[in-house]
Structure formats: structure tokens, C-alpha cells
Amino acid sequence: MDERKITMVHGSGGSATSELINEIFAREYADRTLDEMEDAAVVPGAGTLAMTTDSFVVTPLQFRGGDIGRLCVCGTVNDLLMRGAIPKYLTCGFILEEGLSVETLKQLVHSMAETAREAGIRVVAGDTKVIEGNGGLYINTAGVGFIPDGVDIRAEKAAVGDAILVSGTLGDHHAAILSERMEIETDIESDAAPLRQMVDSLISSGLPIHSFRDVTRGGLGTVLKELAVASGKVFEIEEEKIPVTAKVQDFCGLLGLDPIYMGNEGKMVVILPAEYANQALEIMKSCRYGENAVQIGTVLAAAAGESAAGGESYNAGGELICKTAIGGRRRLDVLQGEGLPRIC
Amino acid sequence: MKLDEIKEFLSGYDGPEINIMEVCGSHTGAIAKNGIPGMLSDKIHLLSGPGCPVCVTPSSYVDRLIELSLTPGTVVATFGDLIRVPGSERSLSEAKGEGARVIMLYSPLDILALAEKEPQTTFVFAAVGFETTTPVYALLMDQLVSRGVNNVKLLTAIKTMPEVIDYLMANGAEISGFLAPGHVSVVTGADAFKPLADKYQMPFAVAGFKGTELLVALAGLVKQIGCPKVMNFYPQVVTASGNQKALALIDRYFEPVDAVWRGLGTVAGSGRVLRAEFSRFDAGSAALSEDVKVNKACCCDRVLMGRMKPTECPLFGKVCTPIKPQGACMVSTEGSCHSWFVNHRT
């Protein structure tokens, strides 16, 4: 147990900074490029690169099922994967607030290194700053991935007749974070996970995948609406097929939340021609984090004219329609307003 | 009737046109979420009444909260919904950017620990709500009095449901039946709506919040149009006489008062304020009767009366959206315009 706290001197750039880097970061991230401690990482390249960056500001720093260290790898790695890229290099920028426990920092950095190993991505560059504050911590990660020849996965490729698959239960991360913040006792765990194995398996299977999207902030509703708009098609999903655990369902009932708009950190949507849906589901189910994969809907053509009782027409391009359990139809939009507290 | 028969009955109804009003924000949300409007015959119209407490709070109330939050030594505590409601000029959230001290709580009772930790600060709780929430404010008062806490005050905008329904009907609202609010009825009891059913010769159906519960209650109303009947379709939690303990506690600390409803004006006996003997716990609620429209074209008043659908307001979806609400009905997730907007109801 390390009793020390981070102080401004750790950000001086002098000996205290080097000690912190050597003792905590370099040890965990041991990497032939990082270990050179040069001003920039020099690494081999490829033909087509995918690049992404994301910042992580979640509180609490540690929660059931994960922590900010695991999250900051999953978020960036999953974003690379969603374009069909093979994750290669990760950089991380840490902003530490004065008063942060060194023990906590060690645990978070360890968790980050472990998740990076699981995701098969190398941490090749990093930076640390210390600011005044109250023991908080923020992380930015950027990632580079290589896109294999012939892989072209994009939001607008969703086509009429495609199946809409989701890799598992929704709302777990959001509910885990909210319950910690609100001190509601539950054992709901965050789903924070790198989806490397699932994506690699799907791509190497050669199935004609049209789109991937990770279901993060804004939830399934927001993600599917964006895909519907990007492709100009009608997305129709069935409420009863959307996987949500009983615990999360109860938690949502208690707080008036809708799992369709809750954030996740280890779930993805897969869109591909319906005739390949079962093969894709089998692959997903055989992968870590994919055991609850299921088809939740279908991509339909945009067509005018037809309308439901009550005169509401539902089938313009870019619409997301949910068939409700009692047989109604509900139009869904992206999450409006601020919704809920920050969760990543 | 089986569920399939109920669905068939509601979609196949071919009698006179009827307007059914729900007066509970959670019902508004559940109706949209279950896709119920599209399951009804086009002769059955669902209207959203004044069922969102935040939406009916006058602008002067928000102005007073902002004034308090900018007063040195004072912290305003509120439920989240109120933070973005526009006052006459700005919202609490905008005032926060100018240094206002505003905190969001999930339970009013959480203020006790804060007040005991910071005895030199005055904490003002924004006590907004209907009969559902009022018992919690009464519980808070009970704690303040028994623990001798002197640095917590309430700014009240507490409203009651039967009085405003009476006001709507007396002022010519064209409504054939009401979905009575489920949570309010837990406290008041279903019988609270009986005098109204008799006076206006119309049915009331106390309903739960699941899709099937709403369909059953709607079918009940359609069948009983013109009959002075109160039907309780939520007997799991609602009794005829309500929660007597909660009602007694409310009565100990609060008394009826004429209250101003945003967009509607003054409704006799439709509010609750702290009794005179507890006025030291009040942060100036009595003076808050002024209600200024943020945008002159805003039709929240007619929407609340059921005279206009949210989509018929000229501002709806154009200048008035959940991101930049002009009227209160667009602010809260329980507001009728907000619900219609995010669910694309037409």
C-alpha cells in the first residue's frame, strides 16, 4: 500500500517527474519503443491507417467491472476496430490532480497496461501533467490501426434486407456508474471491454460486413439513428429482442431511465446481409464478451405513402422505428438534451 | 377482455370523437414509449395536460431561485429537472456560469447532512411538485423541526391535481375523460377524483405505467364516456382513500393556497404553502405570482389546457427544441412538448 499523494512537483519535468514515470508508467507499459524514452515514437507503418482519439473524465475512477484505466484503452481500441482496423499503437496523456493517491494511480496504470495487452495494442508514447485540484485524474488516448486490404466498413453501407445484430446486454456500464454515484447498492458491473477478438473473428471469417458501431454514449437509440441517417434507410428494431439484464431493467425502472439510451463500453452493433446473420451470431457468441449476441432488427427500404393508424407515417429514409412489446410503434431519435451525468 | 380484444376495440372504435387527457408526465412518457397513439382509432385523441410540476412553475419562481443562488452564503438545492427551466431572463444553469451556487439532489432529505456540515450556509430546497412529492417535503420539515436545523429553507411551488382538473373543465376544456395520475393517486386515493367525475359527468381511470396497463385504462375510459365513474386500474398500489399517514403529515406543515400555474394563471386552492407557524422555513414563496412568457408566441398555456397539440404551436421544433426550450413544456423530460418532440408524435 503506497501512502503517497501526487503533488505539483511530480509535474515539474525534473527528477520527481522521471521518478514517477519510471516507477509507475514505464514499468507497466514496458515496450521496446516506449522504453527508448525519445521525444517521439518511431514505428513501422502500413498502407491505410485508422486514427482516433478520446478523452476520459469519468468519476468515480474505479467502479464495479472496471476503472478509467481499462476504459481509456477500450474506448480508443473499439473505435479503431469499428472501421475494421487492426489496433497497433496507443498514446496516452495523463492529467493528474494534486492530491491523487499514488496507490490509486498505480492500480489504474496497471489496469490500463493489462487491458492494452488483452486488446493487442502497444502503448508507444505518453505524457504526464499535474494540475491543482482535488485528487482527480483525466486521460486522453489516441490510437492508430492498420486497415487490411479489401476491408471497407462504413456507416452508410447498411443496405435493404440487412440484419441488425447487437453483441450483448445494454445499459450495464451506465447503470454501474450511476449506482456508484448515487450510492445505490447493486451488483451491476460495467461491461468495459476491448472487442478485438470479436471484430478480428468477424473480419477473418470473410462475411460481407457492412457496418460496425460501438454502442457508447447516447446508447443504442442514438447509434442506430445515426446509422439510419447515414445510410438513408429505415431501421426497424423489436423492443422485446433488445437484450437487457433483469438487474439493469429494475435499476432503470427505479430511476425512470431507458436502456435504449444508456451508454456501454463493450458492446457493438453489426450490420450485414440477413442471410449471413446466423453465421455472424455464431462467431460473436463464441467470442469473449459476445455470449448474449442477438439479432434485434432489420434494415428496410425508405418508402413513402404507407401509414399506421392515427395517420403517422413511419417509413421515410433515416428513420429508426421500434416495435414495442404491446404491438405499438415508436419512432426513436438520437438522445436529446444532456440526459445523464458523464460516464466515460 | 383479453389484451388482443382491447387492442382491437381501441383501434376499431368508431363512435363520436373523444379527447382523453393524461395529467401525469410519466404517463405522457409511457404513452410515447409504448407507441400507443398509433394503436388507437383516429377518433380517440390523447391530450397531455398540466402533469409536469416543473412545467407549471411560474417564471418568477425560477427568478427567485436564481436570486437566492447568487446571494452570498446561500446554496440552492434542487431536483435535476428544474435546472434548465427558463425564468423571465435565464435559467439556473445559466446563472451557474455566473457563480450561482446550485446543487442537484436526488432526495430532499440529503440536504440535512449538508446543512449540518455547513451551519454558516443557508440551504434553500426548491420544493416543486404535486401530491406525489409533497410528503417528502413534509418529512423534511419534520426532520428540520425535530432536529432544530435552522439553516434550511423551502421555496415552495407545490401544486394539487384535483383543483387544476376542475379549473380546466370549468374553463371549457373539451375533454371526455381523464387518465388519472398513478403516483398522485397513491397519496390522494382514487376517491379524490369522484367529486370531479360527478360534477362533469365523466369517467376517470387511475392507471399504471406499463403499456398494457395504459391500454386497459384507455379501453375502460372509452367504454364509460359520459358516466361519472372512477375506475382504479392500478390497485396494486392505489387504494380508494389513499395514504392517510402521508396526507396527515402534509396537513401538519402545509395549508391550501391559490397558486399560479405557468401559462394558466391563478387556480383557486390548487397549491400548498407552509403554515404560518412554520413560515420561518419559507424562503419567500408567497410573493411569486408573476409569470412572464420567455417567447410571446409560446403556446404552453393552450397545450396545457388540451386546446392545442404541441405540434400545432408555431415554435415547436423550430425555435423551441429540447436543446433551446422557449416554454416550460419543452424543458423537462416529462413535459408534453419534450415528449412529443423526442418521439416524433404528430
Side-chain angles (χ1 to χ4, degrees):
Chain A
M1 183 71 196
D2 198 322
E3 306 282 348
R4 291 172 297 167
K5 303 270 187 210
I6 295 294
T7 64
M8 292 304 282
V9 73
H10 286 116
S12 64
S15 59
T17 309
S18 323
E19 271 169 40
L20 184 78
I21 289 173
N22 287 327
E23 186 189 332
I24 298 181
F25 295 100
R27 179 187 294 175
E28 289 288 355
Y29 300 151
D31 178 279
R32 57 186 183 278
T33 304
L34 187 80
D35 292 348
E36 293 169 1
M37 295 282 174
E38 291 283 358
D39 280 350
V42 175
V43 291
T48 306
L49 298 181
M51 291 180 66
T52 188
T53 183
D54 207 343
S55 298
F56 299 83
V57 298
V58 69
T59 56
L61 298 173
Q62 296 168 303
F63 41 84
R64 276 182 312 277
D67 54 45
I68 194 170
R70 182 167 174 80
L71 212 54
C72 76
V73 175
C74 297
T76 294
V77 162
N78 289 344
D79 282 349
L80 292 173
L81 290 167
M82 294 308 111
R83 295 303 306 274
I86 299 165
K88 283 289 184 184
Y89 310 120
L90 191 76
T91 72
C92 54
F94 277 77
I95 296 175
L96 316 179
E97 280 185 4
E98 222 180 348
L100 176 70
S101 136
V102 170
E103 179 66 27
T104 306
L105 179 63
K106 280 182 176 171
Q107 291 169 6
L108 296 174
V109 169
H110 178 72
S111 162
M112 182 174 170
E114 228 176 38
T115 312
R117 275 192 290 276
E118 183 192 342
I121 194 164
R122 289 171 55 196
V123 180
V124 294
D127 177 54
T128 310
K129 293 283 185 298
V130 180
I131 59 171
E132 287 175 2
N134 206 9
L137 175 153
Y138 313 96
I139 306 175
N140 172 275
T141 55
V144 173
F146 295 175
I147 298 196
D149 284 343
V151 171
D152 178 23
I153 292 172
R154 279 179 289 130
E156 66 264 31
K157 283 182 75 182
V160 174
D162 279 1
I164 303 168
L165 317 181
V166 62
S167 66
T169 58
L170 299 178
D172 301 77
H173 176 69
H174 212 140
I177 298 286
L178 269 185
S179 64
E180 297 257 4
R181 292 235 190 103
M182 297 172 70
E183 295 173 16
I184 296 174
E185 258 180 62
T186 72
D187 49 8
I188 298 171
E189 290 194 356
S190 164
D191 61 350
L195 298 169
R196 173 82 189 257
Q197 187 200 2
M198 202 182 304
V199 169
D200 280 0
S201 307
L202 283 168
I203 288 179
S204 62
S205 72
L207 292 173
I209 288 154
H210 287 156
S211 316
F212 282 150
R213 197 47 86 81
D214 56 344
V215 192
T216 51
R217 264 188 308 172
L220 182 74
T222 302
V223 163
L224 289 182
K225 174 71 181 179
E226 286 170 357
L227 289 174
V229 170
S231 62
K233 305 292 185 295
V234 174
F235 278 40
E236 188 176 75
I237 56 172
E238 291 180 51
E239 185 180 31
E240 281 182 305
K241 293 196 176 157
I242 297 170
V244 181
T245 65
K247 279 176 194 164
V248 171
Q249 197 77 63
D250 288 349
F251 183 81
C252 290
L254 197 69
L255 296 175
L257 302 172
D258 188 344
I260 288 186
Y261 288 109
M262 288 169 71
N264 310 272
E265 291 294 341
K267 296 290 153 49
M268 65 186 289
V269 162
V270 178
I271 293 174
L272 83 175
E275 59 267 37
Y276 302 106
N278 284 338
Q279 269 172 275
L281 283 173
E282 254 174 60
I283 293 170
M284 291 164 80
K285 284 180 179 176
S286 71
C287 292
R288 198 168 173 198
Y289 313 120
E291 60 270 28
N292 296 312
V294 65
Q295 178 173 355
I296 57 165
T298 312
V299 178
L300 306 174
E306 189 195 315
S307 72
E312 299 192 44
S313 105
Y314 286 111
N315 44 10
E319 291 283 14
L320 170 61
I321 306 299
C322 178
K323 288 180 13 193
T324 69
I326 58 168
R329 288 160 72 85
R330 169 191 181 198
R331 257 185 213 189
L332 298 176
D333 203 340
V334 295
L335 177 66
Q336 295 286 337
E338 53 202 302
L340 296 152
R342 296 275 151 76
I343 48 142
C344 58
Chain B
M1 270 176 38
K2 287 203 187 112
L3 185 61
D4 282 343
E5 291 166 2
I6 287 174
K7 279 158 66 169
E8 215 166 291
F9 170 73
L10 288 170
S11 63
Y13 171 82
D14 197 25
E17 302 240 347
I18 48 179
N19 293 330
I20 293 174
M21 178 175 269
E22 86 270 355
V23 280
C24 167
S26 302
H27 276 158
T28 307
I31 285 168
K33 198 176 157 200
N34 286 286
I36 290 178
M39 302 173 74
L40 306 178
S41 142
D42 52 16
K43 298 210 162 169
I44 303 173
H45 307 284
L46 295 182
L47 305 173
S48 303
C52 162
V54 163
C55 303
V56 295
T57 300
S59 61
S60 54
Y61 179 88
V62 176
D63 293 343
R64 173 73 182 148
L65 272 185
I66 291 171
E67 185 190 328
L68 287 165
S69 68
L70 289 164
T71 306
T74 305
V75 171
V76 164
T78 168
F79 293 133
D81 268 10
L82 199 61
I83 290 191
R84 289 175 54 242
V85 177
S88 59
E89 281 170 7
R90 58 192 164 160
S91 66
L92 271 176
S93 136
E94 284 159 341
K96 243 179 128 171
E98 295 159 33
R101 292 182 72 192
V102 183
I103 54 170
M104 215 177 90
L105 294 182
Y106 292 101
S107 163
L109 297 173
D110 291 346
I111 210 169
L112 289 166
L114 295 172
E116 282 169 2
K117 218 159 76 187
E118 262 186 70
Q120 73 287 6
T121 304
T122 301
F123 289 85
V124 177
F125 196 91
V128 172
F130 291 123
E131 289 91 332
T132 332
T133 329
T134 318
V136 190
Y137 301 137
L139 270 179
L140 174 63
M141 282 301 301
D142 223 31
Q143 290 293 318
L144 295 177
V145 171
S146 67
R147 293 195 200 184
V149 179
N150 294 312
N151 58 330
V152 173
K153 292 181 189 300
L154 305 186
L155 190 70
T156 59
I158 297 172
K159 306 274 200 296
T160 54
M161 198 39 85
E163 286 75 12
V164 78
I165 292 178
D166 194 14
Y167 175 91
L168 293 179
M169 293 311 298
N171 285 277
E174 289 175 13
I175 297 161
S176 344
F178 281 90
L179 270 178
H183 297 139
V184 164
S185 303
V186 172
V187 177
T188 63
D191 283 355
F193 299 99
K194 190 73 178 98
L196 292 165
D198 290 337
K199 185 171 174 185
Y200 297 106
Q201 293 292 299
M202 57 163 47
F204 282 73
V206 178
F209 299 88
K210 291 186 186 144
T212 46
E213 291 172 334
L214 285 163
L215 289 178
V216 169
L218 286 171
L221 283 173
V222 173
K223 287 190 174 168
Q224 298 293 335
I225 293 298
C227 303
K229 214 171 162 183
V230 176
M231 296 166 279
N232 183 1
F233 291 108
Y234 201 26
Q236 309 92 300
V237 290
V238 174
T239 62
S241 58
N243 184 337
Q244 292 300 323
K245 225 169 145 181
L247 291 169
L249 196 64
I250 292 173
D251 201 44
R252 183 185 312 158
Y253 294 104
F254 297 98
E255 61 187 2
V257 67
D258 297 349
V260 176
W261 294 61
R262 191 170 199 142
L264 294 181
T266 303
V267 178
S270 69
R272 291 287 180 272
V273 284
L274 285 167
R275 291 186 176 279
E277 57 194 294
F278 301 110
S279 61
R280 65 180 191 281
F281 291 101
D282 190 279
S285 314
L288 308 175
S289 57
E290 206 181 325
D291 188 27
V292 182
K293 272 192 183 182
V294 176
N295 186 320
K296 292 268 180 292
C298 170
C299 297
C300 275
D301 49 348
R302 271 168 283 174
V303 170
L304 291 172
M305 290 284 285
R307 292 213 177 110
M308 185 186 258
K309 288 188 203 174
T311 43
E312 288 164 356
C313 171
L315 304 181
F316 182 87
K318 299 184 185 90
V319 289
C320 186
T321 64
I323 306 291
K324 189 110 188 69
Q326 300 293 308
C329 300
M330 188 59 93
V331 174
S332 161
T333 49
E334 304 236 306
S336 41
C337 293
H338 187 288
S339 173
W340 281 57
F341 183 85
V342 301
N343 291 290
H344 296 275
R345 278 178 73 177
T346 48

